[in-house]
Structures are given as structure tokens and as C-alpha cells.
Amino acid sequence: MIKDYFKLSLKTLAHRKLRSWLTMIGIFIGIAAVVALVSLGEGLRSAINAQFGFLGTDVLAVMASGGLGIPGIGTVNPLTDNELDAIKEIPGVKGAAGRIQESVKLVFNKKATFSYAISIPDGDDRKVIEHVFNMNAQKGRLLKDGDKKVVFLGSMFFEEGNAFGKAVVPGSKVEIQGREFKVIGIMEKKGNARIDSAVFMNEDDLRNLVDRPKGEYDVIGVRFDENADVNKIKEDIEKNLRKIRDVKEGEEDFSVQTPAQILARVNDVLRGVQIFVYIIAAISILVGGIGIMNTMYTAVVERTKDVGIMKAIGAKNSSIFLLFFVESGLLGSAGGIMGSIFGFLTATGLAFVGRLALGTSMISAHITFQLIIGSILFAFIVGSFFGTLPAVRASKLNPVDAIRKIK
Amino acid sequence: MKFKKIIELVNVWKTYQVGAVEVNALRGINFSVKKGEFVAIQGPSGSGKSTAMHLIGCLDLPTKGKVYLEGKDISCMSESLLAQIRGKKVGFVFQQFNLIQNLTALENVALPMIFQGVNEKERIKKARNLLELVELGDRVNHYPNQLSGGEQQRVAIARALANDPDIILADEPTGNLDSKAGKEIIDILFTLHKKEKKTIVMVTHDNRLAKYAHRIVHIKDGKVIRGE
């Protein structure tokens, strides 16, 4: 029965093509905006989560000079052994290891690229760094104490189509800052562009290479007891470091950040952006809905004749209501379906262009089945909702008046 | 005899409010139609013919008086019940054909059956048969604007027969047609009356058409003046 009403409504909409298209535009734009922007936002969110998510929940980082930028680059007041020792003494801390990080030039296959090198200390501290980066070798092996002139590379160097135009494999020789190093292993892919393109080497090698004195660090990686209170540990570290570095609260030249904190901050910003997008899209959909209402009121006036005829041949008020209600719902959902398709294509296209232009995998469209179905359903509901009043008006038309109108 | 009466109007008044003025379209009209009868209603413009027709067809309710359809008083029925009765018992044929323009001939004929919940297969089959009956079997997929006036009116007759009603109400069915097409339409109605035993009530100005009827009811100023 309801199928027949859908068929009748479709015929009517097809009969008034131009008007149907124009009416659908409002909903179309709103839904396209929702699908495109939400999926890009979700893509960005999951990319960011991938960037930080590989880090364990039981680690935090103490950074000199603070900030979210690449740690270590341009550090003016580095961390020291004193601070490292103080952190190791804090209750709940299982281990801590300092590292330096420097931008370096790599040459392989006669092609050069820039990356950044991370130092790994000897002894027990090595385990801390390996844990912090959740470091495993997909090829070759990890670095070990006593290794000299060898490097452990991020997974990107192993991929075909890297900056060198040739995959680097264990045993390959690469030139770093003019000196030759042997590749000992390749790290598992982490999904984080910075880590996947990093060069790990033993601390002595890196210090010699970039001429950094012993006992100073850019970052101290801390591993703590999983049951410990991360906020308490963070506060203790900050208190200790303020004392050692002689800085007042609020004027720190270092920062203590946990992956969870970074994620939460980024997600907060993204959520704010998404709410903004939802509001804009909601306004567009509302305007689209009012457009549907306007069209349906016009349709009721124009089709008073048809309503009169249908009532004369046995249509009940409820049948007439259903006919107009389904029609406006269809206008909404057709706008929704097309908006979803357009939004999908826009998001995918923008993500593709973004990746090409910026060369980062951070830009991707994360389009879910729920988002598409939800959008279409929402569009149908908006269409039906705004079609209700015109449908009621149509259903209440007096058959005689409706037929008289034609004479 | 009362049981034979299919339609009966008893002292029916219909008053319309036109602005501040009350207009009495019908003033205590009395007449009845027997089952299987072919009745013509005649009268000058504004005499109340169409109003009487609307009341007989359950499209409207009287201001005063009673309207009986197969012995049942429909004067106080809800719109929903009236719609059901209209759909099952009455078939309308209008002067201006009144087909739905965006539906094909077949779909127009099948439309009343949708409102009665007839399934699609049955609807299509019956609509085809009815269009063949009015000799439009080769025009089923044509839209109204692709059909001549006479053809459109034949589609309208087929539509009026969709739910196999006992009563066909025709309001000036040949008013918009040339004499040849008009003759064809009246022939179809007459055949329906003769062969299918349909009760036919026809409003017409045309004395030549009225002659086909068993009885002519003359209405003037909202009252039956002859043929009651």
C-alpha cells in the first residue's frame, strides 16, 4: 500500500523536475557539507590519533623549551643529567631516558633528503626509549650497546618510492651529515610520519655527528607504573624541574606532556570545529526544509484539483495526507542521497588534492556507513517534518470546494 | 417500494455562506432513484443540479434533511466513511474529465483501486480490461494530454467503473465534447445501464441526451419542479 504512495509521489516529483531539483538544493548543500566536512574531520582525527596513538599510555615526555613542534629542534635551554636523575627518583617512575634530536641530511642512491635523528642511550635507559617508541624491527635488528656507525631507520626508508627512489635495506650504507653509516634494521610502520621517517642511532654516534656535549638532552622520555597517577607524577616532575631550573610556576622553559593530553587537546579543537560545521549544516538543512515546506504549500494550492478528484474517487483524508507527506519526505531524502554522494566525492577529492599538495597522509576522508545512512535518514525526516503542515492542509480540503475550484 | 430505492433525498436543504450572505442552493428537495434506473437531472444554471449531484455522490452533506444510500442515512457520516462509500459505491464522470495529468490512462483507471487497497497485479489487469471495454486498449500508456477529449472522457468512465460501483454519476459528461464524441459517450453510458445494470444519474443541459433516460428530474431554484 505505502509502496503505491511512493510510486505516485515519485511520478509527481518527476513530473515537476525543475521545481523538485530546486527544492532539493537546500537539503543537498546541507547534507553534502555534513558528509564532506565530518568525514574530513574524522579522517583528520583518526590520522592524529594514529600519530600519537602508537605511544603507550604509561609514558610521558619532558621537553625542553616546551611546545608541540618537533621537540629538540632549536632547544635553547636543554635538559640535563641532574634533571634526569631527579625524575628517576620520583615515586611511580619506572625509568627515564634522555635523548637528543637533531635535523640531519641523508644521502643514499645519490639522492639527498632531510630527516631527524634520535639518540638512544646505552644500558637500562635503552629499554625505556624502546618502550616509549614501542620499537620493533621489521627487518634486521634493533640497536644495541656498543654498536658504532650503524643506524636503525623508520619504515619509510624501506618503502619503494621513498625520497631516495630506492628502498633502503639492512646492510645498505647511507651517508648522514657527510659520514657513512650502515643500516642495521628497519622499524615497524607506526603510521606516524615523523617516527616513520626518523633515524635512530646510539647516543655517542649522534653526539659526535652533531657536536652536542654529553649530559644535555632535548627530551626525557619517562615510563611510569601503569597504576600510578599520571597527574601526580606530572606535578612532581614539574615541581622538581622548576626547582632545579630555578623558574617560577607559569614561566617554565620546559613542558611535561602525556600522549593522552595531546590527543585530548587536539580532539577538543576538532570537536569544536565539528560542532561549528554541524551548526552551519543545520542552518542550511533548516533553510532547505523551509524550501520544501514552501514547495509543498504551492503544490497543495496547485493540486487542489487533483486532491478533489482523488477524494471524489475514494481517497480518504489519511490517503491524501500520506501522499503529500511521502512526497516531501522523498524530496528530503533525494536531496540527502545526492548530498551524500556529492559530499563523499568532495571529501575524497579534497583529501586526494590535499595529500598531493601538502605531501602528508594526515589528510584523509573517513566516511562511515553510519554517516551516510544517518544523513539520508535525517534528510527524510526533515523533508517529512516540513511537509507535515502542507499535507494536513491538503488532507483537510473539502472535496466539493476542491472540485468547484476547477469549474 | 422503498427497498428498491438506491438513492433517496428527503427534504434536503443545502445552504452556503457566501460572505455575509446565506445562499440556499437546495430548498427542501425530495426525490429518489431506483436501482438500475437511468435518471437525467435538468435545470438552468444555478438551479442546484450539481449540488444535488454532490449530495447523491456523498461528496457533501446536507445542511438539513436526510440522504439515504441503499437505505443508509449518510447525512451524519464522517468524511472517512463517506470516502469509503464514494470509493466503493459511486463512480464519477465529470464534464471536464478530471484526469490526473501526470498519470497515464492505465494509472488513472487504476487509481481508485489503490485507495481501496487492491493489489497491483489485480489493479493493472482490471484497469486494462476497463480500458478495452471503452475501446482504448491501445492507448493505455498515453497521458491525458496525448488523448482527445472523447478519449479522455472514456478513460474517466473506465475510472468510474474501477471499483465496480452500483451508481454512476455523470455531471454534464458530454459538455466539453463535439457531437460525435458526445454520442459515443452517451452510448457507453447507455450500454453500461443496459448490460451492466448500473444505476445512472446524469446532469445535462442537452435535451437529446436526456431522452436516453427513463426519467427526467427538473430542478429550478433549489426545488424539484417535475419528475420527482
Side-chain angles (χ1 to χ4, degrees):
Chain A
M1 184 73 173
I2 188 82
K3 193 180 80 183
D4 299 320
Y5 289 89
F6 271 96
K7 278 187 185 170
L8 281 174
S9 299
L10 275 174
K11 280 220 101 175
T12 310
L13 291 178
H15 190 70
R16 293 173 169 82
K17 275 192 201 79
L18 181 63
R19 190 187 300 169
S20 302
W21 280 107
L22 290 174
T23 308
M24 278 185 276
I25 281 177
I27 298 284
F28 171 86
I29 291 172
I31 296 293
V34 168
V35 171
L37 295 172
V38 169
S39 56
L40 281 173
E42 279 301 315
L44 191 60
R45 196 209 292 265
S46 46
I48 288 168
N49 279 301
Q51 296 286 304
F52 295 99
F54 73 94
L55 294 167
T57 51
D58 59 346
V59 294
L60 53 79
V62 182
M63 293 177 201
S65 294
L68 273 172
I70 294 175
I73 309 296
T75 300
V76 277
N77 194 5
L79 300 158
T80 63
D81 272 337
N82 273 350
E83 286 144 2
L84 178 61
D85 292 341
I87 289 169
K88 283 179 177 173
E89 295 301 314
I90 290 169
V93 170
K94 273 171 112 175
R99 61 179 193 261
I100 57 168
Q101 303 183 160
E102 286 286 347
S103 182
V104 291
K105 181 184 174 191
L106 284 90
V107 179
F108 179 70
N109 194 30
K110 292 180 186 163
K111 284 180 184 157
T113 187
F114 286 87
S115 182
Y116 83 114
I118 300 173
S119 71
I120 300 185
D122 285 344
D124 288 344
D125 289 359
R126 177 184 298 279
K127 293 265 175 285
V128 175
I129 296 286
E130 284 175 0
H131 178 80
V132 165
F133 288 108
N134 190 15
M135 212 179 247
N136 289 303
Q138 60 161 312
K139 291 278 168 193
R141 64 166 174 83
L142 297 176
L143 291 165
K144 60 183 185 188
D145 289 2
D147 276 345
K148 290 225 178 285
K149 294 268 181 182
V150 294
V151 287
F152 183 71
L153 298 179
S155 64
M156 220 168 78
F157 296 103
F158 182 60
E159 288 165 9
E160 295 291 338
N162 62 18
F164 303 126
K166 185 182 169 187
V168 182
V169 293
S172 301
K173 299 269 168 66
V174 290
E175 195 187 299
I176 302 172
Q177 298 287 90
R179 293 187 209 169
E180 198 176 77
F181 285 79
K182 188 179 155 192
V183 177
I184 202 82
I186 305 286
M187 193 161 69
E188 278 178 349
K189 191 176 168 72
K190 297 292 175 195
N192 175 310
R194 201 149 53 84
I195 303 300
D196 286 340
S197 63
V199 176
F200 296 89
M201 61 176 80
N202 277 342
E203 193 176 322
D204 289 345
D205 275 349
L206 186 56
R207 284 192 191 280
N208 285 335
L209 190 66
V210 298
D211 198 20
R212 290 277 298 265
K214 263 187 178 292
E216 66 165 55
Y217 308 101
D218 300 316
V219 181
I220 295 175
V222 182
R223 181 183 183 184
F224 53 85
D225 199 327
E226 277 180 43
N227 300 319
D229 178 0
V230 60
N231 290 324
K232 174 81 172 61
I233 291 173
K234 184 175 177 249
E235 275 170 28
D236 286 348
I237 292 173
E238 283 169 345
K239 208 156 80 183
N240 275 294
L241 262 59
R242 273 199 297 271
K243 207 167 149 191
I244 295 168
R245 292 166 83 89
D246 194 23
V247 288
K248 287 181 189 153
E249 195 169 348
E251 293 174 4
E252 290 92 345
D253 55 355
F254 65 90
S255 67
V256 182
Q257 284 182 326
T258 62
Q261 252 189 322
I262 299 168
L263 268 187
R265 199 183 300 168
V266 172
N267 280 335
D268 275 353
V269 173
L270 279 178
R271 201 167 298 125
V273 171
Q274 276 185 334
I275 289 171
F276 177 73
V277 167
Y278 279 130
I279 291 170
I280 298 288
I283 292 169
S284 169
I285 292 170
L286 184 76
V287 172
I290 293 168
I292 289 183
M293 198 182 214
N294 182 35
T295 297
M296 293 313 293
Y297 268 125
T298 312
V300 173
V301 173
E302 277 183 355
R303 278 148 60 197
T304 298
K305 169 181 178 172
D306 289 0
V307 172
I309 296 166
M310 286 193 267
K311 285 199 163 191
I313 61 175
K316 290 184 206 163
N317 288 359
S318 57
S319 309
I320 300 293
F321 173 83
L322 208 56
L323 211 54
F324 280 84
F325 184 74
V326 166
E327 196 173 313
S328 59
L330 276 177
L331 274 176
S333 46
I337 289 169
M338 285 185 297
S340 296
I341 294 170
F342 188 72
F344 172 85
L345 294 175
T346 306
T348 316
L350 281 178
F352 180 71
V353 171
R355 279 197 298 273
L356 278 186
L358 302 173
T360 167
S361 60
M362 292 276 281
I363 302 169
S364 67
H366 186 73
I367 300 160
T368 61
F369 184 68
Q370 286 94 325
L371 176 66
I372 299 287
I373 295 298
S375 302
I376 294 170
L377 199 65
F378 182 64
F380 179 79
I381 292 168
V382 167
S384 308
F385 176 78
F386 282 99
T388 302
L389 285 178
V392 168
R393 177 181 276 193
S395 72
K396 295 239 165 105
L397 282 174
N398 178 300
V400 174
D401 291 343
I403 287 172
R404 278 232 174 95
K405 209 162 185 171
I406 37 179
K407 286 191 174 175
Chain B
M1 287 198 294
K2 194 166 184 175
F3 67 92
K4 276 193 176 175
K5 285 177 189 166
I6 195 164
I7 302 158
E8 188 174 16
L9 277 69
V10 181
N11 192 27
V12 167
W13 286 71
K14 184 70 194 176
T15 309
Y16 292 107
Q17 194 76 37
V18 182
V21 184
E22 280 192 347
V23 177
N24 290 316
L26 296 178
R27 303 158 181 254
I29 202 171
N30 289 293
F31 85 88
S32 58
V33 179
K34 286 177 192 157
K35 196 171 166 72
E37 229 184 344
F38 190 152
V39 176
I41 300 177
Q42 282 200 299
S45 290
S47 59
K49 309 185 293 291
S50 292
T51 306
M53 185 81 135
H54 294 151
L55 292 169
I56 295 167
C58 305
L59 271 176
D60 209 354
L61 295 172
T63 312
K64 216 161 69 179
K66 302 278 184 197
V67 178
Y68 295 96
L69 194 75
E70 290 184 330
K72 256 189 230 165
D73 183 8
I74 61 150
S75 317
C76 302
M77 280 187 180
S78 69
E79 168 56 29
S80 180
L81 270 175
L82 286 177
Q84 262 181 329
I85 292 174
R86 281 198 296 272
K88 282 181 189 159
K89 304 271 181 199
V90 186
F92 282 96
V93 179
F94 299 96
Q95 180 178 358
Q96 290 175 328
F97 328 131
N98 289 350
L99 300 175
I100 308 281
Q101 294 299 311
N102 60 329
L103 299 182
T104 62
L106 188 76
E107 288 162 340
N108 264 292
V109 177
L111 192 59
M113 291 185 265
I114 290 182
F115 300 128
Q116 296 303 317
V118 179
N119 71 54
E120 189 174 5
K121 205 176 157 195
E122 208 177 311
R123 280 199 313 259
I124 300 295
K125 192 179 163 199
K126 191 161 183 194
R128 265 183 203 284
N129 288 342
L130 287 169
L131 283 168
E132 272 164 21
L133 183 79
V134 294
E135 295 174 2
L136 286 174
D138 55 340
R139 316 284 271 173
V140 289
N141 291 321
H142 285 62
Y143 285 90
N145 60 9
Q146 297 168 322
L147 299 171
S148 70
E151 287 172 328
Q152 287 190 59
Q153 195 60 304
R154 280 191 272 159
V155 175
I157 292 174
R159 182 180 66 184
L161 296 169
N163 289 320
D164 202 16
D166 290 330
I167 308 159
I168 304 282
L169 299 180
D171 192 355
E172 303 274 11
T174 61
N176 275 14
L177 302 175
D178 58 44
S179 55
K180 185 172 170 279
K183 174 79 170 65
E184 284 167 6
I185 293 302
I186 202 73
D187 284 345
I188 293 172
L189 289 175
F190 197 69
T191 310
L192 285 172
H193 164 65
K194 279 279 174 204
K195 289 193 177 164
E196 310 281 329
K197 307 290 178 210
K198 300 285 181 199
T199 305
I200 297 188
V201 180
M202 178 174 71
V203 169
T204 183
H205 273 106
D206 193 333
N207 287 330
R208 284 172 301 174
L209 296 187
K211 280 176 191 159
Y212 282 85
H214 291 149
R215 187 155 60 94
I216 302 172
V217 176
H218 290 272
I219 296 182
K220 194 178 175 190
D221 298 332
K223 285 181 177 173
V224 176
I225 53 166
R226 214 163 49 232
E228 208 167 287

